[in-house]
Amino acid sequence: EPEVTQTPSHQVTQMGQEVILRCVPISNHLYFYWYRQILGQKVEFLVSFYNNEISEKSEIFDDQFSVERPDGSNFTLKIRSTKLEDSAMYFCASSEDAGQGSEQYFGPGTRLTVT
Amino acid sequence: AQSVTQPDIHITVSEGASLELRCNYSYGATPYLFWYVQSPGQGLQLLLKYFSGDTLVQGIKGFEAEFKRSQSSFNLRKPSVHWSDAAEYFCAVGFMNTGFQKLVFGTGTRLLVSP
């Protein structure tokens, strides 16, 4: 069964450093998402991406964040200058369509620890 | 504003006993509701979803959920829990803002299964 994969599974970085989290969505999916979960809190929407453009972003997704689909298979989330409060589990998801009720398929997550 | 509440952070159930995980939502229009499960090291896997029709929906792994509009609830049930059901369970509502669905999650309920 096709699945969304994410690398690395765990990333430790120092405050102020740049990190890139990588995702390989399901191959025939067109819509891509990033969510995050700070320990003990809700899974929160960060951004959705379609046709090489951001379709929606939350207020969390400020200028320090960016997303890219650099080739036909990868979807990346970059944090330019990490802060302590960026420590969280980051989930990538993809879907075939984006209408209400559509199923989003999630990867296993990358745990980001900022020290 | 749309929100999802899962009042139970942890639940412990004996193997073979029945299970009910609670979910309440706040959403102005017809809700599209989802239950996801996350096993350790795995991504979020869709168990079931509801958006119209029969208010009792069947999902994978023997789970079902009942939509009750009057109570704004979408509780997840299983008649007989197996040790492999130990995981974290997330309720979510699908929210449309820009024409692309984003998921709004609850904080999750961690299910522990005792022998």
Side-chain angles (χ1 to χ4, degrees), chain A:
Chain A
E1 186 179 331
E3 58 182 18
V4 176
T5 59
Q6 291 185 243
T7 54
S9 56
H10 191 189
Q11 173 94 46
V12 181
T13 189
Q14 289 192 323
M15 199 166 50
Q17 296 296 303
E18 174 183 288
V19 293
I20 297 176
L21 309 183
R22 300 179 196 281
C23 169
V24 179
I26 293 173
S27 62
N28 64 329
H29 286 184
L30 301 176
Y31 301 86
F32 313 111
Y33 314 83
W34 284 100
Y35 291 80
R36 79 171 186 190
Q37 185 183 27
I38 294 171
L39 191 63
Q41 298 184 25
K42 298 184 180 193
V43 176
E44 304 170 285
F45 169 81
L46 290 179
V47 66
S48 57
F49 188 86
Y50 168 70
N51 201 26
N52 281 318
E53 288 184 348
I54 290 174
S55 45
E56 185 178 356
K57 59 184 180 179
S58 71
E59 59 253 20
I60 303 167
F61 195 90
D62 61 23
D63 292 344
Q64 292 301 311
F65 291 87
S66 62
V67 288
E68 194 178 30
R69 188 153 163 82
D71 52 44
S73 58
N74 289 283
F75 179 52
T76 62
L77 174 69
K78 183 194 292 186
I79 310 175
R80 232 175 301 280
S81 176
T82 50
K83 304 190 267 290
L84 293 175
E85 54 265 35
D86 294 327
S87 295
M89 180 74 91
Y90 288 80
F91 293 104
C92 173
S94 69
S95 64
E96 258 185 289
D97 61 67
Q100 201 165 14
S102 56
E103 180 175 353
Q104 294 179 13
Y105 292 78
F106 285 79
T110 292
R111 180 165 297 285
L112 176 66
T113 302
V114 182
T115 61

Side-chain angles (χ1 to χ4, degrees), chain A residues 31 33 35 37 40-43 45 48 50 55-56 91 98-104 106-108, chain B residues 4 27 32 34 36 38 41-44 46 49 90 94 96-98 100-103 105-107:
Chain A
Y31 301 86
Y33 314 83
Y35 291 80
Q37 185 183 27
Q41 298 184 25
K42 298 184 180 193
V43 176
F45 169 81
S48 57
Y50 168 70
S55 45
E56 185 178 356
F91 293 104
Q100 201 165 14
S102 56
E103 180 175 353
Q104 294 179 13
F106 285 79
Chain B
V4 175
Y27 188 64
Y32 287 68
F34 303 81
Y36 281 85
Q38 185 184 27
Q42 305 294 313
L44 297 164
L46 181 68
K49 64 180 180 181
F90 295 92
M96 298 289 285
N97 187 23
T98 61
F100 296 84
Q101 177 183 246
K102 67 180 182 186
L103 297 177
F105 285 88
T107 46

